[in-house]
Every structure is written in structure tokens, then in C-alpha cells.
């Protein structure tokens, strides 16, 4: 309570007013970028607009009270400080989600403000490839196809060169070409993940083994972040006719560490890393190439992956600072950086096994992937959150919200029954 009062005295605003300021800032930022789209990509004016928007996004989470509004800080940091800012910087160089289609302002606002990625389209305005073909290409990206290991960026699809032998970057769509579904589908997924989140939060109220606790915390994070995508996406689909690509996709079914980040975990955030960092390193230029080029070298792929994971680690450190007032002192960054050698070793081993026609059972590969990610996260990701009380604060925030909603629904049902009875 003291923290809440101190926060309100510092800003002179209550929680609702702070949310209103966030909304106004997001709309203004979207309008600025939309109007600035007439300026040449890479020009000083366009860079200035992106820098201003990024600065605003960095401030928004700081408006809220640490330890009191933990969940709000996580969501604002993840969505605006990271995803929206990366979209804005990519836009400045004619890359990323904001330049994929000729959006009207409503569509531009949603793509900028929501953790969604529009479905990639071809020249005729149709999905670049059907969902089945996109899934096949994405699956191929998670498997070794040759002697040299190629590493893909966090949460992105490996370069098409690693899949198709050297086609141009212009048609490397990956999962961006997949459609996450219509309004009914998205609402169903949203409700399902909300129920799943409530179950995981309830399970965490009991003493459970550390490994299982880490897995449940990961599922809570997935459900929480995915819910803020699925709900807005349903509105996007229903109101302004914009189709979006998948966000999370059953991460427990990943058959490799590479596939975990490429195909299953937090694709909305990973798409921004791919478009801003990985593709830039592979292209060797901040501006996209004017002519399509072929396969980037394995060195560029590895450097792009390293840069992407390093950027993800730094952003996560910033999120932790917004939550606690200090960083994890590199522990979170080490969690993301350790993924790079793990993927390289994994691809070498799988390629050697494939040459010898040794097929590792899918269940064994899934067990290894879930075990590796859960175990490394237990010490390098969840360790700091438990040490400083962050995970407990977020879980308590979510639990209080769930209980509050359940109480409101029960009261609503009681009133409805009372009205029918009278």
C-alpha cells in the first residue's frame, strides 16, 4: 500500500488515469509514424520519429508502481518497450510489420500497438503461402539439412537459404505466411489460455518440485503473453479485416531447441528480432537490399543469431529493471546467449545422425527440448525472479485478477437468477 501511495504522489495520477495516458501516448505515436511514412526510409526525419516513439515507450512502464502493478509493468514492457519500439525502428529503415502492406490508419495503429504480426501477402494481396506449406517450411527450418550448422534467430524462422537452398530474402516468409485463424478461433484460443493460466496459477499455490515449478511458470508466462495477443487479434480480424500470423504454438511439442525458438515460442516478439536484427546482419545493411540476394553465409547466420539472442537478453534485463529497479546482472542475458551454442551443437549432432540414417524418436526429442529449456530457465531465468520476488508478485497479481473476475461473474449470475425468479 505504501508503494501505491508513493507512486500516486510521484505522478499525481491513479491507475486508471495512468492507463489513459498510455492509451493517448500510443495513439499519438502511431499517428506520428503513420504521417511520417511519406519521408524517405533511413532519412533523419524518419529516424527522429522512430527515436521519439521509442523514448516514449521506454518511459510508459515506469509510470506504474513496482510490486503493486507487476503484471501491468510486464505487459507494457513486453508490448511497447520491446515489440512496438522494434517495429518503429524497423519501420525507419523500411523493414518489419509496419511496411508489409498499405495499411489504413486503423490497421497501422493496431499493428503498431498490439503484439501481432500481419500475415505476409504476395503481390495479389493473398497469403504468401498456404498454412500447410508454411508449416512444412517452418518444420524444415527446425531440422538439419546439411553438414554445416546454420543457426536461426530467436523466435524466427531460419533463413530460406537454410531450407530452400538459396532463394531470395524477398520470399522468405516462414510462419509469417500462416493465418492464426478467424475471430471465433482466436476468441476460443483466448478463452482456453485464460482457463489454462488460472489452472497454472492455482497449482503454483502449492509446494511442488523446482523443475515442475519452472515448467508451470513458463506456461503462465506463455498464457499471459499469448492472451494479450489473442484478444486484440480477434478484434483486429472482426473489425478491420486484418489477418495475423501465430504467436505461441504449443511449445511443449518442439522437437529441438532451434524449433522451439523458430516455431513455437513468442513468435510476435521473435518476428521483430528477425526483421530488425537478424535480417539486417544477413543483408549487411540497415536498409533492405534493392535486389534479391541468395543464401547468407553460415558466419552471417551465426552472427545474426548471436546478435538476436543478445538483444533479447538486453531487452529482458530492461524489463527486469522496470520491475525491480535493478537488472539480473547478466543472468537473464546468459540464458538467451546459451541458446546459441546449444543450437549449433544440436544441429551438428542431428546432421551427423541423419547422415547415418539414425532417426531419433519424436517423443525423445520433445522430452529433451522441454527438459533443456526448463532446466536452463530454472537457474538462469526463474532463479532471479524468485530471488527478488518478481514471479511471486506477478503470480499474486494474476491470482487476484482471476479471483476478482470470478467474484464479479458470480455476482452477475446471482443477479440474473434473482431477476428471473422475480
Amino acid at each position: 500500500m505504501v508503494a501505491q501511495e508513493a507512486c500516486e504522489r510521484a505522478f499525481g495520477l491513479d491507475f486508471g488515469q495512468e492507463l489513459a495516458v498510455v492509451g493517448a501516448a500510443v495513439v499519438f505515436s502511431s499517428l506520428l509514424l503513420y504521417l511520417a511514412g511519406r519521408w524517405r526510409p533511413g532519412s533523419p526525419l524518419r529516424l527522429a520519429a522512430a527515436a521519439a516513439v521509442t523514448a516514449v515507450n521506454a518511459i510508459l512502464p515506469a509510470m506504474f508502481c513496482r510490486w503493486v502493478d507487476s503484471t501491468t509493468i510486464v505487459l507494457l514492457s513486453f508490448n511497447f518497450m520491446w515489440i512496438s519500439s522494434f517495429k518503429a525502428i524497423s519501420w525507419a529503415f523500411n523493414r518489419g510489420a509496419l511496411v508489409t502492406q498499405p495499411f489504413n490508419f486503423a490497421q497501422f495503429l493496431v499493428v503498431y500497438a498490439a503484439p501481432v504480426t500481419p500475415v505476409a501477402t504476395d503481390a495479389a494481396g493473398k497469403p504468401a503461402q498456404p498454412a500447410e506449406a508454411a508449416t512444412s517450411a517452418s518444420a524444415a527450418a527446425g531440422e538439419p539439412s546439411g553438414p554445416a550448422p546454420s543457426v536461426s534467430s530467436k523466435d524466427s524462422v531460419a533463413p530460406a537459404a537454410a531450407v530452400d537452398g538459396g532463394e531470395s530474402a524477398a520470399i522468405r516468409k516462414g510462419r509469417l505466411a500462416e493465418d492464426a485463424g478467424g475471430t471465433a478461433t482466436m476468441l476460443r484460443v483466448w478463452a482456453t489460455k485464460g482457463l489454462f493460466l488460472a489452472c497454472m496459477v492455482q497449482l503454483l499455490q502449492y509446494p511442488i518440485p523446482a523443475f515442475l515449478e519452472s515448467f508451470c511458470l513458463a506456461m503462465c508466462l506463455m498464457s499471459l503473453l499469448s492472451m494479450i495477443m489473442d484478444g486484440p487479434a480477434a478484434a483486429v480480424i472482426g473489425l478491420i479485416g486484418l489477418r495475423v500470423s501465430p504467436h505461441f504454438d504449443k511449445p511443449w511439442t518442439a522437437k529441438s531447441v532451434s524449433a522451439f525458438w523458430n516455431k513455437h515460442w513468442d513468435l510476435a516478439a521473435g518476428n521483430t528480432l528477425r526483421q530488425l536484427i537478424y535480417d539486417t546482419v544477413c543483408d549487411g545493411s540497415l536498409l533492405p537490399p534493392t535486389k534479391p540476394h541468395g543464401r547468407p553465409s553460415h558466419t552471417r547466420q551465426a552472427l545474426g543469431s548471436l546478435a538476436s539472442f543478445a538483444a533479447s537478453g538486453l531487452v529482458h534485463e530492461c524489463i527486469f529493471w522496470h520491475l525491480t529497479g535493478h537488472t539480473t546482472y547478466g543472468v537473464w542475458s546468459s540464458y538467451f546467449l546459451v541458446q546459441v551454442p546449444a543450437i549449433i551443437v544440436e544441429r551438428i549432432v542431428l546432421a551427423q545422425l541423419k547422415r547415418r540414417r539414425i532417426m531419433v524418436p519424436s517423443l525423445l526429442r520433445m522430452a529433451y527440448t522441454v527438459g533443456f529449456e526448463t532446466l536452463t530457465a530454472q537457474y538462469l531465468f526463474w532463479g532471479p525472479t524468485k530471488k527478488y520476488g518478481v514471479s511471486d508478485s506477478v503470480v499474486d497479481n494474476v491470482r487476484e485478477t482471476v479471483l476478482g473476475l470470478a467474484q464479479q461473474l458470480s455476482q452477475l449470475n446471482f443477479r440474473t437468477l434473482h431477476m428471473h425468479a422475480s
Side-chain angles (χ1 to χ4, degrees):
M1 185 64 184
V2 175
Q4 179 68 48
E5 291 176 350
C7 179
E8 290 177 354
R9 284 198 301 270
F11 293 99
L13 302 172
D14 59 27
F15 182 78
Q17 291 171 331
E18 290 169 347
L19 288 180
V21 170
V22 170
V26 171
V27 172
F28 177 80
S29 296
S30 301
L31 183 61
L32 174 62
L33 296 181
Y34 186 74
L35 295 177
R38 69 190 71 178
W39 296 328
R40 178 175 53 84
S43 65
L45 290 175
R46 200 155 177 167
L47 291 173
V53 165
T54 301
V56 170
N57 289 337
I59 295 171
L60 294 180
M63 294 180 59
F64 295 84
C65 302
R66 291 185 176 124
W67 312 114
V68 176
D69 303 323
S70 297
T71 303
T72 302
I73 293 173
V74 169
L75 297 181
L76 289 178
S77 300
F78 167 78
N79 190 51
F80 297 115
M81 188 190 71
W82 180 354
I83 296 182
S84 294
S85 293
F86 274 42
K87 287 178 179 177
I89 298 171
S90 297
W91 162 89
F93 297 102
N94 205 37
R95 293 182 180 273
L98 293 174
V99 299
T100 55
Q101 301 174 31
F103 301 114
N104 59 41
F105 178 67
Q107 294 172 330
F108 189 92
L109 170 63
V110 171
V111 173
Y112 166 77
V116 298
T117 307
V119 172
T121 58
D122 57 19
K126 298 180 179 179
Q129 56 187 128
E132 295 80 6
T135 303
S136 299
S138 181
E143 305 294 334
S145 58
S150 61
V151 187
S152 58
S153 66
K154 178 188 181 296
D155 291 332
S156 68
V157 177
V163 179
D164 59 33
E167 293 188 28
S168 70
I171 59 173
R172 298 201 302 254
K173 301 299 183 182
R175 300 213 71 179
L176 295 177
E178 292 185 57
D179 193 325
T183 301
T185 299
M186 298 305 300
L187 287 175
R188 184 174 66 251
V189 170
W190 182 79
T192 301
K193 288 180 178 175
L195 180 61
F196 185 62
L197 175 62
C199 293
M200 290 294 101
V201 167
Q202 186 60 32
L203 182 59
L204 288 169
Q205 304 306 308
Y206 301 94
I208 56 178
F211 184 86
L212 179 59
E213 181 187 28
S214 296
F215 179 80
C216 290
L217 286 170
M219 294 301 98
C220 282
L221 182 61
M222 178 202 73
S223 300
L224 183 63
L225 296 181
S226 188
M227 281 185 68
I228 66 170
M229 178 270 188
D230 298 332
V236 169
I237 292 166
L239 297 178
I240 58 177
L242 187 69
R243 311 297 289 195
V244 297
S245 61
H247 189 193
F248 285 87
D249 187 11
K250 301 175 184 175
W252 54 88
T253 65
K255 297 178 183 178
S256 65
V257 176
S258 175
F260 177 84
W261 296 111
N262 288 331
K263 298 167 51 183
H264 298 277
W265 186 266
D266 200 356
L267 299 176
N271 289 335
T272 65
L273 288 170
R274 174 192 181 180
Q275 293 160 343
L276 177 59
I277 299 176
Y278 184 84
D279 286 350
T280 297
V281 173
C282 288
D283 292 338
S285 171
L286 286 169
L287 293 170
T290 55
K291 296 181 180 179
H293 58 73
R295 174 177 184 166
S297 67
H298 292 300
T299 300
R300 281 191 180 274
Q301 293 181 47
L303 288 175
S305 297
L306 182 61
S308 297
F309 277 105
S312 179
L314 290 175
V315 171
H316 279 84
E317 294 284 0
C318 291
I319 294 174
F320 197 86
W321 180 86
H322 275 299
L323 284 165
T324 65
H326 54 78
T327 70
T328 68
Y329 304 104
V331 179
W332 268 12
S333 293
S334 65
Y335 168 70
F336 292 100
L337 289 174
V338 79
Q339 306 298 321
V340 179
I343 292 174
I344 292 175
V345 171
E346 173 187 81
R347 290 203 166 198
I348 292 174
V349 171
L350 290 175
Q352 294 298 324
L353 290 174
K354 185 175 181 179
R355 281 200 189 89
R356 291 167 174 76
R357 298 184 179 180
I358 300 175
M359 302 301 295
V360 182
S362 295
L363 285 177
L364 183 59
R365 293 179 62 177
M366 287 188 285
Y368 160 75
T369 303
V370 171
F372 174 83
E373 292 300 337
T374 304
L375 192 62
T376 53
Q378 180 178 338
Y379 296 102
L380 299 179
F381 192 88
W382 301 116
T385 68
K386 288 187 282 188
K387 178 181 178 180
Y388 294 103
V390 172
S391 55
D392 289 340
S393 179
V394 174
V395 168
D396 289 343
N397 275 187
V398 173
R399 185 169 182 268
E400 290 173 3
T401 301
V402 170
L403 292 176
L405 290 174
Q407 184 177 8
Q408 291 180 7
L409 288 174
S410 64
Q411 291 176 351
L412 180 62
N413 289 334
F414 176 79
R415 291 172 183 170
T416 302
L417 291 173
H418 181 71
M419 289 176 62
H420 283 300
S422 58

